[in-house]
């Protein structure tokens, strides 16, 4: 049986004209539900492996899941591999943290953000079986026991927040090109030989267990497809498809893929195995248009109908929307609306330093225009060489208004990586992982989302410290902020290392590690430091508010001498209470310039502080010997992190949100249009934000109308490129549309909007985030 | 009036609907006309600092600036002009009222390799436009009321002067000229006026004009200036009315491009 599809009998018989539409509808028919299946299987395996090394137990548990999880092939699907039978189920991993689930067990169905049904029977099972089993022996227990009083104090100060203490680490791009070029069989052979040569190395043993389970998992789908194909009630075309799927999945147990169809099947199955192994956010897809292109060409040359290629790729897109991540209520506030992180980077540079774009890059944008779902989260790598045709298509796609694709600037990202010791070839090959973090695909364990570091909160604490200082000066305030940054940076790196260690001890990921260079060579899991690049990324939060606040204090207190420092601090502590307080607040808002208006004096104050933060962080090495990298993004955490900060000298009330995104101006404070915004953002040395930064810009649909609109938008993006800003993303929805969608959600089920480093269904977001999106400045002329 | 300074009332960045590329518009104080539909009424009258009252506060809205001071602002968006082929547009008011200063500014901008444009009504003696034309790449030239008597009476315009200025612009090979017709109900859209515009455009050998439908974006400013906005109740043109005017020009073998603020 051939799977090259050079002849496709199935394609010539009667079949639905809108396969993708059928699949898309099936995805959203049912309410989201929690599935205990993985947790139960994982636990059952763990009960059988007591006393064995953790990495072996993990591997066996993953294998056990793949051997026993219920599998399905849904109507019209061409690709196999559904994490759960019911679409968009939430998966629990109590081995990481059984407690948050218990705390939220009765509210998960009704909480404001990302609800899931949790059946009474399952809740009971959780309470009586899973919780008691994992209590006291989860990763969370390990981490909590290790947290030092210093780290705890910094968390209580609301300056730092450690992430990934309750779920898999994620934020990794596997070496998809390698597995597509070699096939699963080669990995089994290699690992078998390595294991024979190093019988004491548990990593090889563990990795082999999972790869062999992957082979069996493929065969389970092959058998299921064969069985379904025998169903005579199915139409002919479907039975032919199922027969082909059976043969293909069986073949892929060992063989390397030959066609685009096979490559996508192996790619998806690899991704699913990674999900079973770690249940983590952001096992991103890397540079799909680059590594899939040889397969795309091969299928074209073999005469595979373009419509079929389109459908298979469409099926792949839809599958990325099937996987949603169950987060705690707090985490769902920060990462609202299921940013699962199937992020893809299109275009960019090849190893010769030339712009890399091909027909598939274009097709992937075209397909997005048809499907328009939040995942895969497409991005385009832009640099000075980007061809206009591809840039125009990018602009046209952005104009749809869903915030996809976002843009990453090679002129910033490549030097950023070079500054961190990454080779030129590898730096040119970077891709996007998670929302806006960048990584070297297939070579990095980067803990890109390990901690948040609230710079605005530090300024607030610094002002409190100096309140009673009689002759305080501006320089003294600045210096005190810098000193505090140093203190907390030390603590946040220590805290990140504890979480890092927790994952090493509790959550090795041998399958995924085998697909990260140089783990197989080193015989080490990524969590043990086996990867080539070993970063940890800590996000500095609140730069725009810090810029505005510093400037206002400088002018109001130290230059204009309008009031004493102490009096200002007292007003802030009172949250601008009373008429005088409100008068001061209005004065602070309206009479002092703000970040986003291209005021060099103001912007540079913030730039200096960010530079200090990034360089200080860079002095530390993590437990894997890698560097700490600074980020400047909040995702949707600007709302919860704003709750942690009192009133600020930029006129912001206590507990109000911080500026959205990361580097975007505070909402409503920029009034000179988008060129001034870009200029302000460019003052902050984006190259230092190696881990990632985020800039939201909202355009009115009118601005982008017609060919002229596209031309000027593309010109604008070329200026963005030259200004060396790292990232930008756009919302192109009129205020009116969004307000109407908020009032009549029933009419806007499919409306996708940009939240932070990702897009989500507008109606899936809670009202606060919806309001925030509506408020973000709309640049219109 | 300081010799080396110009009186301006606004510098607006990221203008993308008037002229090529992404542009910065410098608004000049002063205009000899008194068009009742004016959307920048604060610019009308002599070149003197203008005040208005906004939210109970009296503000001086225009300020004297040197060429260097304006260049500092202009340079902020230089990267955007370079990538878009955009540049700087002098508007107003009538920027030709301060023609010496305008010419110096345009000369300096052009010397930087940045595209230059003016928006003008041509309502100044011929020497004014002649002074700036050598440094102007693009002229957006308003044609409003073409009947000399009506023009004089309604908006204070001298049609002979307008035509002379317009023809001087056309005669300048380095300047691209686009005639623009604001479509103001009851004023410029009268059939006889449209016919006069078409005839004149033919006479000078032009086949393309821009038409700018009436809007009321400036109405708020009349309140700040405590002036009566006489166009308050004038309805906007319907799409059909705009189409009809478009068709009128098409029938006259003139391409009319609908543009202006959106």
């Amino acid at each position: 049986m051939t799977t090259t599809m050079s002849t496709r009998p199935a394609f010539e018989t009667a079949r639905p004209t809108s396969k993708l539409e059928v699949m898309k509808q099936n995805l959203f028919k049912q309410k989201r539900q929690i599935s205990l299946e993985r947790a139960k299987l994982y636990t059952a395996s763990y009960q059988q492996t007591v006393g064995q090394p953790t990495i072996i137990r993990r591997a066996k548990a993953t294998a056990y899941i793949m051997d026993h999880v219920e599998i399905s092939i849904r109507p019209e699907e061409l690709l196999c591999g559904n994490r759960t039978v019911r679409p968009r189920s939430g998966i629990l991993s109590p081995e990481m943290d059984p407690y948050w689930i218990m705390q939220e067990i009765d509210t998960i169905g009704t909480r404001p953000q990302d609800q899931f049904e949790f059946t009474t029977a399952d809740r009971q099972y959780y309470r009586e079986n899973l919780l008691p089993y994992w209590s006291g022996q989860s990763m969370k227990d390990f981490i909590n026991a290790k947290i030092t009083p210093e780290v705890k104090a910094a968390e209580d100060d609301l300056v730092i927040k450690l992430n990934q203490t309750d779920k898999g680490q994620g934020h990794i791009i596997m070496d998809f090109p390698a597995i597509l070029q070699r096939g699963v069989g080669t990995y089994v052979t290699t690992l078998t030989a390595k294991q024979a040569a190093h019988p004491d190395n548990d990593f090889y043993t563990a990795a082999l267990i999972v790869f062999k389970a992957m082979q069996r998992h493929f065969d389970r789908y092959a058998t299921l497809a064969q069985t379904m194909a025998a169903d005579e009630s199915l139409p002919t075309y479907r039975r032919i498809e199922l027969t082909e799927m059976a043969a293909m999945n069986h073949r892929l147990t060992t063989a390397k893929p030959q066609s685009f169809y096979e490559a996508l099947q192996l790619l998806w199955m690899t991704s699913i195995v990674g999900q079973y192994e770690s249940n983590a956010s952001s096992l991103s897809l890397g540079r799909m248009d680059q590594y899939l292109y040889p397969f795309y060409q091969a299928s074209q040359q073999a005469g595979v109908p373009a419509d079929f290629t389109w459908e298979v790729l469409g099926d792949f897109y839809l599958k990325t929307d099937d996987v949603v991540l169950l987060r705690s209520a707090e985490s769902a506030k920060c990462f609202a609306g299921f940013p699962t992180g199937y992020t893809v980077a299109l275009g960019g540079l090849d190893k010769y330093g030339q712009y890399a774009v091909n027909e598939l890059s274009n097709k992937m944008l075209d397909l997005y225009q048809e499907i328009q779902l939040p995942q895969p989260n497409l991005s385009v790598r832009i640099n000075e060489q980007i061809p206009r045709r591809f840039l125009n298509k990018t602009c046209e796609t952005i104009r749809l208004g869903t915030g996809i694709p976002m843009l990453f600037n090679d002129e910033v990202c490549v030097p950023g990586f070079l500054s961190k010791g990454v080779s030129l070839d590898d730096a040119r090959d970077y891709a996007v992982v998670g929302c806006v973090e960048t990584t070297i695909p297939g070579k990095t364990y980067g803990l890109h989302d390990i901690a948040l570091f609230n710079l605005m909160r530090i300024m607030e604490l610094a002002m409190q410290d100096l309140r009673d200082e009689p002759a305080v000066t501006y320089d003294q305030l600045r210096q005190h902020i810098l000193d505090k940054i140093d203190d907390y940076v030390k603590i946040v790196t220590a805290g990140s290392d504890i979480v890092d260690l927790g994952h090493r001890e509790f959550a090795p990921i041998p399958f995924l590690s085998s697909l990260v260079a140089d783990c197989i060579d080193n015989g080490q899991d990524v969590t043990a430091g086996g990867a080539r690049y070993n970063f940890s990324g800590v996000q500095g939060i609140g730069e725009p508010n810090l810029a505005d606040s510093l400037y206002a204090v400088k002018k109001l207190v130290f230059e204009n001498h309008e009031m004493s420092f102490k009096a200002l601090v007292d007003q802030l502590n009172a949250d601008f209470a009373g008429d005088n307080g409100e008068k001061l607040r209005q004065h602070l808002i309206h009479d002092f310039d703000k970040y986003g208006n291209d005021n060099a004096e103001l912007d540079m104050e913030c730039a200096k502080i960010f530079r200090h933060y990034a360089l200080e962080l860079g002095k530390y090495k993590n437990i894997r010997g890698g560097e700490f990298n600074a980020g400047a993004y909040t995702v949707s955490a600007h709302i919860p992190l704003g709750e942690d900060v009192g009133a600020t000298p930029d006129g912001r009330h206590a507990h109000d949100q911080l500026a959205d995104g990361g580097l975007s101006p505070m909402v409503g404070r920029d009034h000179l249009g988008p060129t001034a915004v870009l200029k302000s953002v460019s003052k902050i040395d984006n190259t230092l934000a190696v881990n990632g930064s985020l800039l939201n810009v909202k355009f009115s649909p009118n601005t982008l109308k017609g060919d002229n609109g596209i031309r000027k938008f593309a010109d604008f993006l070329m200026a963005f490129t030259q200004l060396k800003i790292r990232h930008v993303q756009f919302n192109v929805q009129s205020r009116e549309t969004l307000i109407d969608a908020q009032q009549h959600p029933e009419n806007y089920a499919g409306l996708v909007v940009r939240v932070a480093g990702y897009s989500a269904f507008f109606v899936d977001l809670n009202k606060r985030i919806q309001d925030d999106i509506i408020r973000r400045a709309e640049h219109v002329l | 009036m300081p010799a080396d300074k110009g009186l301006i009332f606004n510098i607006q960045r990221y203008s993308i609907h008037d002229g090529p590329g992404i542009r910065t518009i410098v608004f000049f104080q002063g205009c000899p006309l008194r068009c009742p539909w004016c959307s920048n009424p604060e610019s009308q009258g002599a070149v003197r600092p203008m005040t208005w009252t906004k939210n109970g506060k009296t503000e001086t809205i225009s300020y004297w600036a040197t060429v260097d001071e304006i260049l500092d602002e202009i340079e902020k968006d230089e990267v955007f002009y370079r990538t878009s082929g955009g540049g700087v547009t002098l508007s107003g008011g009538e920027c030709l009222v301060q023609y010496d200063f305008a010419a110096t500014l345009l000369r300096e901008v052009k010397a930087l390799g940045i595209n230059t444009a003016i928006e003008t009504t041509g309502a100044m003696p011929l020497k004014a436009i002649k002074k700036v034309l050598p440094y102007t790449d693009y002229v957006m030239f308003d044609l409003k009321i073409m009947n000399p008597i009506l023009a004089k009476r309604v908006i204070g315009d001298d049609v002979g002067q307008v035509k002379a200025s317009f023809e001087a612009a056309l005669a300048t090979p380095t300047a691209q000229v686009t005639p623009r017709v604001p479509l103001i109900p009851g004023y410029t859209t009268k059939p006889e006026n449209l016919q006069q515009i078409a005839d004149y455009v033919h006479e000078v050998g032009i086949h393309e004009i821009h038409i700018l439908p009436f809007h009321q974006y400036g109405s708020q400013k009349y309140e700040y200036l405590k002036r009566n906005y006489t166009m308050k109740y004038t309805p906007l043109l319907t799409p059909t009315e705009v189409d009809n005017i478009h068709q009128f020009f098409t029938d006259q073998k003139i391409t009319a491009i609908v543009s202006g603020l959106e």
Side-chain angles (χ1 to χ4, degrees):
Chain A
M1 167 69 68
T2 174
T3 50
T4 58
M5 306 292 151
S6 53
T7 56
R8 282 203 46 81
F11 218 73
E12 279 132 35
T13 61
R15 58 206 299 286
T17 48
S18 57
K19 237 173 157 24
L20 292 181
E21 199 45 48
V22 174
M23 285 188 264
K24 187 172 168 179
Q25 281 169 11
N26 283 338
L27 209 48
F28 299 100
K29 263 185 190 154
Q30 290 165 295
K31 271 194 152 171
R32 290 185 299 266
Q33 205 175 55
I34 284 180
S35 161
L36 288 187
E37 193 181 18
R38 179 188 178 277
K40 284 180 181 172
L41 293 169
Y42 191 96
T43 307
S45 172
Y46 249 63
Q47 285 166 336
Q48 295 163 22
T49 56
V50 178
Q52 299 178 22
T54 302
I55 192 166
I56 303 288
R57 297 186 79 183
R58 289 268 295 176
K60 285 184 174 171
T62 307
Y64 192 79
I65 294 167
M66 283 196 275
D67 288 339
H68 293 93
V69 70
E70 200 185 336
I71 61 170
S72 64
I73 299 170
R74 298 182 192 140
E76 303 302 335
E77 281 186 331
L78 296 165
L79 295 171
C80 292
N82 294 320
R83 193 174 63 145
T84 47
V85 169
R86 187 178 164 121
R88 292 167 69 79
S89 295
I91 298 285
L92 293 181
S93 27
E95 76 276 14
M96 295 295 184
D97 177 359
Y99 308 112
W100 79 258
I101 301 158
M102 192 55 224
Q103 281 161 14
E104 300 180 19
I105 198 161
D106 295 319
T107 52
I108 232 164
T110 53
R111 62 188 191 178
Q113 187 62 54
D114 298 0
Q115 302 97 336
F116 284 86
E117 273 182 6
F118 202 170
T119 67
T120 313
D122 277 354
R123 275 185 284 175
Q124 190 181 349
Y125 187 89
Y126 188 81
R127 277 197 201 97
E128 291 172 7
N129 298 285
L130 294 172
L131 177 68
Y133 182 81
W134 288 105
S135 290
Q137 57 166 337
S138 70
M139 183 175 78
K140 187 77 172 183
D141 294 295
F142 175 88
I143 291 172
N144 283 348
K146 293 264 178 199
I147 293 286
T148 61
E150 254 191 334
V151 172
K152 179 80 176 59
E155 287 183 311
D156 291 345
D157 287 344
L158 305 172
V159 171
I160 73 167
K161 239 186 181 117
L162 298 175
N163 295 333
Q164 322 304 354
T165 61
D166 61 358
K167 57 181 167 303
Q169 193 62 254
H171 297 85
I172 301 172
I173 301 177
M174 292 179 259
D175 196 345
F176 296 117
I179 196 170
L180 292 178
Q181 281 154 25
R182 294 173 192 156
V184 177
T186 305
Y187 282 86
V188 172
T189 312
T190 306
L191 288 167
T192 305
K194 287 279 188 191
Q195 192 203 21
H198 308 276
D200 297 336
N201 183 309
D202 290 334
F203 170 72
Y204 292 131
T205 308
L208 191 56
I209 288 169
V210 188
F211 269 95
K212 284 186 169 172
M214 182 184 186
Q215 292 183 309
R216 295 193 297 276
H217 200 59
F218 261 128
D219 258 339
R220 288 185 65 202
Y221 275 103
T223 306
L224 176 63
Q226 198 60 61
T227 310
M228 290 171 72
D231 181 353
E232 291 181 7
S233 70
L234 287 175
T236 312
Y237 82 89
R238 189 59 184 154
R239 295 179 65 194
I240 296 170
E241 282 175 355
L242 286 162
T243 306
E244 283 181 313
M245 287 159 80
M248 173 172 73
N249 278 275
H250 179 65
R251 227 176 79 76
L252 288 174
T253 57
T254 53
K256 57 183 181 184
Q258 303 289 344
S259 64
F260 187 65
Y261 186 18
E262 288 186 340
L264 279 175
Q265 177 62 78
L266 177 56
L267 176 62
W268 182 246
M269 198 61 88
T270 304
S271 169
I272 281 287
V273 176
Q275 284 289 349
Y276 281 134
E277 186 180 62
S278 71
N279 187 30
S281 140
S282 303
L283 300 179
S284 302
L285 293 165
R287 305 180 69 188
M288 272 179 81
D289 61 333
Q290 305 300 314
Y291 62 75
L292 283 177
Y293 187 56
F295 298 97
Y296 180 82
Q297 276 181 307
S299 286
Q300 260 188 337
Q301 279 157 15
V304 177
D307 290 357
F308 179 73
T309 297
W310 183 262
E311 279 179 356
V312 176
L313 190 58
D315 189 5
F316 186 93
Y317 273 32
L318 292 170
K319 286 192 128 41
T320 62
D321 284 283
D322 181 35
V323 178
V324 293
L325 196 72
L326 176 64
R327 297 172 181 275
S328 65
E330 188 59 26
S331 175
K333 269 196 219 166
C334 296
F335 306 96
F338 309 109
T340 315
Y342 283 110
T343 316
V344 174
L346 301 174
L349 293 165
D350 64 17
K351 65 181 168 190
Y352 306 105
Q354 305 299 303
Y355 196 82
V357 61
N358 58 50
E359 193 184 326
L360 183 57
S361 324
N362 283 287
K363 282 275 181 287
M364 287 187 71
L365 288 177
D366 288 339
L367 182 60
Y368 174 74
Q369 296 194 8
E370 176 172 319
I371 292 185
Q372 293 194 35
L373 288 177
Q375 302 288 331
N377 186 1
L378 300 184
S379 56
V380 167
R381 284 179 46 178
I382 190 169
N383 59 50
E384 302 229 22
Q385 302 174 50
I386 189 169
R388 251 314 149 115
R389 264 194 307 165
F390 187 54
L391 182 57
N392 284 349
K393 187 175 284 277
T394 300
C395 293
E396 285 158 14
T397 312
I398 291 170
R399 185 165 63 180
L400 294 174
T402 61
I404 290 177
M406 49 184 168
L407 292 158
F408 287 83
N409 189 351
D410 292 355
E411 310 293 343
V412 180
C413 294
V414 172
F417 279 117
L418 292 176
S419 77
K420 291 286 179 171
V422 172
S423 77
L424 181 60
D425 276 15
D426 286 348
R428 283 178 173 162
D429 193 39
Y430 84 86
V432 186
V433 69
C435 298
V436 295
E437 303 92 322
T438 47
T439 197
I440 308 304
K443 297 186 172 91
T444 309
Y445 182 59
L447 270 60
H448 293 286
D449 188 27
I450 197 64
L452 304 172
F453 190 87
N454 196 332
L455 288 162
M456 189 60 239
R457 173 73 181 148
I458 288 182
M459 176 172 172
E460 184 186 18
L461 292 174
M463 289 184 69
Q464 299 296 337
D465 290 348
L466 298 176
R467 175 182 176 273
D468 298 317
E469 199 73 26
V472 63
T473 63
Y474 178 71
D475 286 342
Q476 209 179 339
L477 172 64
R478 259 191 97 252
Q479 189 55 48
H480 192 53
I481 293 171
L482 299 181
D483 291 345
K484 285 185 95 68
I485 287 177
D486 294 355
D487 294 345
Y488 282 110
V489 160
K490 185 168 183 230
I491 298 169
V492 81
T493 59
S496 302
D497 282 347
I498 294 167
V499 181
D500 204 342
L501 189 65
H503 283 265
R504 175 186 292 182
E505 296 295 322
F506 277 78
I509 36 180
F511 172 79
L512 204 143
S513 299
S514 304
L515 294 171
V516 173
D518 305 299
C519 291
I520 293 185
D521 292 341
N522 295 337
Q524 276 182 318
D525 195 86
V526 286
T527 56
R532 184 171 306 173
Y533 300 115
N534 283 290
F535 304 121
S536 296
V538 180
Q539 280 44 274
I541 306 288
E543 290 85 353
N545 301 89
L546 180 73
D548 295 347
S549 296
L550 266 178
Y551 187 76
V553 174
K554 185 180 172 188
K555 296 287 166 190
L556 179 88
V557 174
F558 298 105
E559 289 183 12
N560 303 353
H561 305 289
E562 291 180 48
M563 66 194 300
S564 73
F565 185 73
K566 185 173 177 170
L568 173 63
V569 175
D570 289 343
Q571 284 280 5
L572 297 177
N573 288 343
D575 195 13
F576 304 110
D579 287 350
N580 281 339
E582 181 56 22
K583 224 171 129 187
L584 172 64
R585 198 174 82 85
Q586 292 301 330
H587 182 45
L588 289 168
I589 292 175
H590 297 293
D591 301 334
F592 300 95
D593 208 355
K594 298 289 186 294
Y595 172 81
N597 297 305
D598 198 6
N599 176 330
E601 179 191 351
L602 181 159
D603 298 337
M604 284 313 294
E605 282 298 294
C606 178
K608 285 175 194 164
I609 288 190
F610 182 72
R611 177 180 156 84
H612 179 90
Y613 163 68
L615 296 183
E616 186 62 24
L617 196 62
K619 290 179 184 166
Y620 291 85
K621 292 260 191 291
N622 60 34
I623 57 166
R624 291 162 287 117
E627 275 191 56
F628 277 87
N629 292 340
Y633 64 87
T634 66
V635 191
S636 58
H638 56 288
I639 294 176
L641 290 177
E643 288 168 14
D644 293 347
V645 184
T648 41
D650 55 352
R652 178 190 142 278
H653 268 305
H655 317 306
D656 273 3
Q657 65 164 81
L658 299 171
D660 60 87
L663 296 181
S664 323
M666 184 63 176
V667 279
R669 299 286 194 269
D670 62 296
H671 47 82
L672 296 180
T675 59
V677 170
L678 290 201
K679 286 294 301 295
S680 272
V681 178
S682 76
K683 303 282 188 4
I684 295 172
D685 187 348
N686 279 230
T687 309
L688 294 171
V690 175
N691 194 57
S693 62
L694 200 161
L695 171 63
N696 285 314
V697 173
K698 191 168 163 187
F699 276 113
S700 77
N702 267 343
T703 311
L704 306 182
K705 237 164 69 179
D707 292 345
N708 202 32
I710 290 294
R711 187 163 62 243
K712 291 195 180 180
F713 186 33
D715 295 338
F716 179 79
L717 291 177
M718 290 317 295
F720 154 86
T721 307
Q722 288 185 19
L723 286 169
K724 309 276 188 274
I725 299 169
R726 198 171 185 287
H727 162 276
V728 68
Q729 61 189 19
F730 298 91
N731 251 329
V732 190
Q733 301 285 352
S734 68
R735 273 178 84 81
E736 294 72 33
T737 303
L738 295 173
I739 290 166
D740 196 47
Q742 194 174 45
Q743 286 159 355
H744 308 284
E746 64 281 5
N747 299 338
Y748 293 90
L751 177 65
V752 175
V753 294
R754 179 61 52 173
V755 179
Y758 57 93
S759 294
F761 291 109
F762 187 73
V763 297
D764 266 356
L765 300 169
N766 72 43
K767 187 164 181 303
R768 284 191 73 179
I769 297 178
Q770 288 183 346
D771 287 344
D772 174 40
I773 291 174
I774 292 170
R775 271 197 306 270
R776 288 179 199 167
E778 182 180 288
H779 289 298
V780 58
L781 210 86
Chain B
M1 188 187 298
D4 57 340
K5 290 187 176 181
L7 188 66
I8 59 173
F9 66 94
N10 192 10
I11 296 181
Q12 184 179 294
R13 296 163 67 172
Y14 189 64
S15 164
I16 59 167
H17 292 300
D18 301 286
I22 296 169
R23 310 189 70 82
T24 294
I25 308 186
V26 182
F27 290 90
F28 278 58
Q29 183 73 49
C31 183
L33 303 186
R34 44 167 201 278
C35 308
W37 58 86
C38 183
S39 57
N40 290 332
E42 72 273 38
S43 68
Q44 292 177 343
V47 181
R48 51 173 165 70
M50 175 64 73
T51 57
W52 68 19
T53 308
K54 190 173 172 181
N55 307 323
K57 264 197 222 166
T58 302
E59 304 172 340
T60 303
I61 50 171
S62 38
Y63 55 97
W64 293 102
T66 64
V67 167
D68 277 343
E69 282 163 355
I70 298 174
L71 284 177
D72 284 345
E73 277 304 303
I74 286 172
E75 267 180 359
K76 287 184 173 177
D77 273 352
E78 182 169 350
V79 63
F80 296 93
Y81 315 143
R82 302 279 176 212
T83 59
S84 68
V88 175
T89 303
L90 308 192
S91 183
E94 170 52 66
C95 63
L96 294 183
V97 176
Q98 304 179 56
Y99 58 89
D100 271 327
F101 183 76
T104 313
L105 181 59
L106 289 167
R107 190 185 67 213
E108 294 296 319
V109 172
K110 199 172 162 64
L112 296 169
I114 295 170
N115 182 282
T116 54
I118 59 170
E119 291 183 305
T120 182
T121 62
M124 283 291 286
L126 182 60
K127 65 172 181 184
I129 197 162
K130 281 195 158 172
K131 191 104 195 202
V132 304
L133 279 171
Y135 316 113
T136 306
D137 297 316
Y138 185 52
V139 180
M140 287 165 273
F141 201 110
D142 283 0
L143 297 177
K144 299 179 181 182
I145 299 175
M146 298 307 278
N147 177 313
I149 298 162
L150 282 178
K152 194 83 205 162
R153 198 172 69 211
V154 178
I155 59 175
D157 207 0
D158 176 342
V159 174
Q161 216 169 47
V162 169
K163 286 182 172 176
S165 296
F166 186 66
E167 285 156 34
L170 286 180
T172 306
T174 51
Q176 186 197 336
V177 182
T178 294
R180 301 199 306 187
V181 180
L183 302 181
I184 312 299
Y187 294 94
T188 65
T189 58
K190 289 180 180 160
E192 57 275 22
N193 191 53
L194 291 176
Q195 187 62 56
Q196 281 170 325
I197 288 171
D199 292 345
Y200 178 62
V201 162
H202 277 304
E203 188 188 316
V204 295
I206 286 186
H207 308 287
E208 187 177 293
I209 63 169
H210 285 207
I211 51 178
L212 287 68
F214 169 63
H215 62 75
Q216 298 185 326
Y217 294 148
S219 56
Q220 185 69 38
K221 295 177 174 177
Y222 286 86
E223 284 178 31
Y224 297 158
L225 293 164
K226 300 192 176 113
R227 278 176 50 183
N228 183 28
Y229 180 50
T230 59
M231 305 288 290
K232 197 189 285 180
Y233 300 108
T234 306
L236 301 182
L237 293 167
T238 65
T240 313
E241 287 171 312
V242 176
D243 281 351
N244 287 344
I245 292 168
H246 185 269
Q247 189 58 46
F248 164 80
F249 283 112
T250 307
D251 292 345
Q252 306 269 331
K253 301 200 167 26
I254 295 168
T255 308
I257 296 167
V258 182
S259 75
L261 293 169
E262 306 203 24

